[in-house]
Amino acid sequence: MTDSSISPLVDASWLKSRLDSPGIVVLDVRTPPAGGFVPRSVHSDYATAGWRTVVGGGAGMLPEPGVLAGLIGGLGIGNGDHVVLVAAGANASDMGNATRVYWTFKMLGHDAVSVLDGGFAAWVAAGGPVTPEPAVRKPTGFATHPRAGLRATVEDVEAAVKAGGTPLHDARSAEQFAGKAKSPQARAPGTIPGAVNLDIAPLFSAAEHRFATPDAVKAMADQAGLPLRDQPITFCNTGHLASVSWFALSEIAGIPGVRLYDGSMSEWSADPERPLQTEG
């Protein structure tokens, strides 16, 4: 975690008691939103608003800081605000809307950010009030202070593959990891050589509206054979699913040095010269 004074996860009761606090901004990143909104929340569609972009072969890359500053400031979010991110809460992949935007704020140097555990589903289940429309805030300035330590570039991954020793975590399904299935975003099936697989599905329980505990996250990583040292790199197809495992490992379990490879398999496999590993 980059700032221990801000909890990465907050629950519905925490948010209920702070909805009227002037320094709290609830940012709904559902795609699409349904069933209303947390009162006073602003909405920014994760899929279409510009939180991710295409760079070279990478389909889900982090946009330039200036672009993100305009997006965030345009939502009325300033550097003094504590942002609480709301996904739908349907499953682990859905929570990726919130965890990827969380990682983005952290990458920009903004530590006052949290994810609503269980998302909008948890809010409704807890009897939280709902309004039919999102709020609109006056645009403001948002200054970025980019940090590099939370992100792995393709060069970082190439170096890790060549040297060995850096834990590489494939957050996709077992079928895609084995090369038996492929996302349309990847040129070819397979995984990055030396990677181990930990499907993100068990990291979040939709029925209980919550992420796994720190001990459970560590136990899952151990069972998967993923070392929690030497700055692990987590990836998927476009850096979406991997943001869930990055969040679970780094922010929930407190593993230091975990990096998200936002280029993931879409960028890695785009170059036929880069090696791919498959089972069988």
Side-chain angles (χ1 to χ4, degrees), residues 176-180 188-193 275-280:
Q176 290 194 5
F177 172 74
K180 297 174 182 176
T191 190
I192 297 173
L276 292 168
Q277 174 182 300
T278 58
E279 288 185 2

Side-chain angles (χ1 to χ4, degrees), residues 26-38:
V26 181
L27 175 55
D28 185 314
V29 289
R30 288 177 293 162
T31 302
F37 297 85
V38 175

Side-chain angles (χ1 to χ4, degrees), residues 24 42 49 57 72 84 92-93 104 119 126 141 144 147 189 195 199 201 205 232 241 264 266 273:
I24 299 288
V42 295
I72 294 167
V84 179
S93 176
T104 299
T144 65
R147 49 163 68 100
D199 190 319
S205 169
L241 302 179
S264 287
S266 63
E273 296 299 313

Side-chain angles (χ1 to χ4, degrees), residues 8 40 69 95 105 120 160 178 194 209 211 213 234 252 254 259:
R40 298 180 58 190
M95 290 302 295
F105 272 100
F120 188 72
H209 305 300
F211 271 94
T213 64
T234 182
I252 295 177
R259 294 170 287 169

